[in-house]
C-alpha cells in the first residue's frame, strides 16, 4: 500500500486495470461506519487469540468499494508494527487481526518478498495488488499510473480497479500508519482481487503492482486447511462501510 505524499510507505497488493473516478476533494462527510455495532459477526479468533470454530462468512463479491477498502485499511492500520502483516517479511504474522469471514492478504512497503501462510478452507480472500490512500486528487494521480497482475496456481486472476472512495478506517498509535495525519478520514483507491474460498491443500498466489516509482509484490505460499488455525493475537478491525 502507499500513502501518497507522506514520509512512510505502506504497500498492499491487488489488481489493476482502469482509472480512478476522481471525485473533487471534500470535507468530512458520512463515511464508512467503524462503530462496534457495525463490526458484528464472528471472527477467526476471540480476544484471547483462540481460534473460532464457526467464523461468519462474508460475501466478498458483494462488498461495496467503501466497505472493501475500509475493511482492509482498518486491518492494516490496527495491528501494531511489530506484528503487522504489511511489515511481515516471511508470513509469520499472516493471521494477525483476521476477522469476520474474509481472509485478508497484504502487500509490502515497497519491496518484494515471499510469505508462507496457513489459511482456512472455503473462506473468501481479499487483497490489493497495489493501493493507496490520501486525497481524492492523490487517488486520481495514483490510479492513472497503477498497473499490476495477480496469479493463482498459474492462472491469471481478474484485477478490479477501485477509484477514490472515502474511508474512515481504524488504526493504533504504535502501528505503521500512526504518523499519517488524516488516515482516519481519507480517500482510498487501488487495484484489488476478490477470491472465493480455496480448497484444502497447497496454493500459490503471486502478485506484482506499481504506480509511478512505487512497486510492491509478494509470493504467497499458502497451506489451506480444514482444521483449526494457529491462534493469532487478534487486534481490532473495522468491518463494514456505510
Amino acid at each position: 500500500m502507499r500513502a501518497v505524499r507522506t514520509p512512510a510507505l505502506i504497500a498492499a497488493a491487488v489488481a489493476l486495470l482502469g482509472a480512478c473516478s476522481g471525485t473533487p476533494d471534500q470535507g468530512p462527510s458520512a463515511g464508512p461506519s467503524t462503530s462496534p455495532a457495525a463490526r458484528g459477526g464472528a471472527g477467526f479468533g476471540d480476544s484471547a487469540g483462540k481460534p473460532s470454530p464457526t467464523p461468519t462468512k462474508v460475501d466478498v463479491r458483494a462488498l461495496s468499494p467503501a466497505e472493501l477498502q475500509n475493511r482492509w485499511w482498518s486491518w492494516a492500520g490496527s495491528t501494531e508494527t511489530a506484528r503487522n502483516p504489511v511489515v511481515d517479511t516471511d508470513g509469520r504474522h499472516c493471521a494477525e487481526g483476521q476477522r469476520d469471514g474474509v481472509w485478508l492478504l497484504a502487500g509490502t512497503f515497497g519491496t518484494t518478498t515471499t510469505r508462507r501462510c496457513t489459511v482456512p478452507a472455503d473462506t473468501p480472500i481479499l487483497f490489493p495488488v497495489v493501493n493507496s490512500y490520501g486525497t481524492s486528487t492523490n487517488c486520481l494521480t495514483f490510479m492513472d499510473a497503477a498497473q499490476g497482475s495477480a496469479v493463482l496456481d498459474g492462472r491469471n486472476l481478474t484485477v478490479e480497479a477501485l477509484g477514490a472512495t472515502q474511508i474512515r478506517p481504524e488504526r493504533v498509535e504504535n502501528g505503521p500508519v500512526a504518523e499519517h495525519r488524516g488516515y482516519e478520514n481519507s480517500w482510498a483507491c487501488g487495484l484489488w482481487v476478490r477470491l472465493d474460498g480455496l480448497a484444502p491443500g497447497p496454493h500459490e498466489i503471486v502478485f506484482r503492482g506499481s504506480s509511478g516509482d512505487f512497486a510492491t509484490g509478494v509470493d504467497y505460499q499458502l497451506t489451506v486447511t480444514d482444521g483449526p488455525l494457529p491462534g493469532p493475537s487478534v487486534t481490532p478491525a473495522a468491518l463494514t462501510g456505510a
Side-chain angles (χ1 to χ4, degrees):
M1 71 177 84
R2 182 177 188 177
V4 180
R5 305 295 184 188
T6 57
L9 295 176
I10 303 175
V14 87
L16 99 94
L17 204 58
C20 182
S21 63
T23 349
D25 292 338
Q26 303 172 16
S29 64
S33 169
T34 57
S35 67
R39 295 177 203 152
F44 290 104
D46 61 18
S47 59
K50 297 176 182 177
S52 169
T54 56
T56 301
K57 282 192 178 183
V58 171
D59 183 355
V60 71
R61 299 188 186 277
L63 293 174
S64 71
E67 289 171 335
L68 183 155
Q69 294 184 91
N70 198 70
R71 179 185 294 263
W72 191 93
W73 282 104
S74 288
W75 173 68
S78 62
T79 305
E80 64 185 36
T81 299
R83 299 179 292 110
N84 194 279
V86 183
V87 181
D88 186 9
T89 58
D90 58 13
R92 70 184 66 186
H93 299 303
C94 283
E96 293 291 342
Q98 299 284 0
R99 297 175 71 89
D100 302 288
V102 174
W103 195 267
L104 304 173
L105 298 179
T108 69
F109 284 95
T111 60
T112 300
T113 192
T114 297
R115 293 178 181 144
R116 291 171 175 80
C117 305
T118 300
V119 303
D122 299 321
T123 298
I125 294 173
L126 173 67
F127 64 93
V129 170
V130 66
N131 64 346
S132 178
Y133 74 88
T135 66
S136 59
T137 300
N138 291 149
C139 267
L140 181 60
T141 301
F142 184 86
M143 293 300 289
D144 278 344
Q147 56 184 326
S149 62
V151 177
L152 167 64
D153 297 336
R155 174 175 60 87
N156 290 330
L157 296 173
T158 299
V159 174
E160 177 184 4
L162 298 180
T165 305
Q166 192 175 24
I167 59 170
R168 290 184 177 173
E170 296 178 356
R171 69 180 175 96
V172 290
E173 290 303 320
N174 57 345
V177 295
E179 73 275 29
H180 296 309
R181 301 182 66 181
Y183 180 76
E184 291 113 319
N185 187 15
S186 56
W187 298 79
C189 53
L191 301 175
W192 293 85
V193 171
R194 313 183 197 215
L195 289 176
D196 297 323
L198 299 176
H203 296 275
E204 181 182 59
I205 292 178
V206 175
F207 62 79
R208 299 289 185 272
S210 66
S211 178
D213 60 359
F214 176 77
T216 180
V218 182
D219 294 2
Y220 273 101
Q221 306 295 325
L222 304 180
T223 298
V224 178
T225 179
D226 273 328
L229 299 176
S233 300
V234 176
T235 54
L239 311 179
T240 61

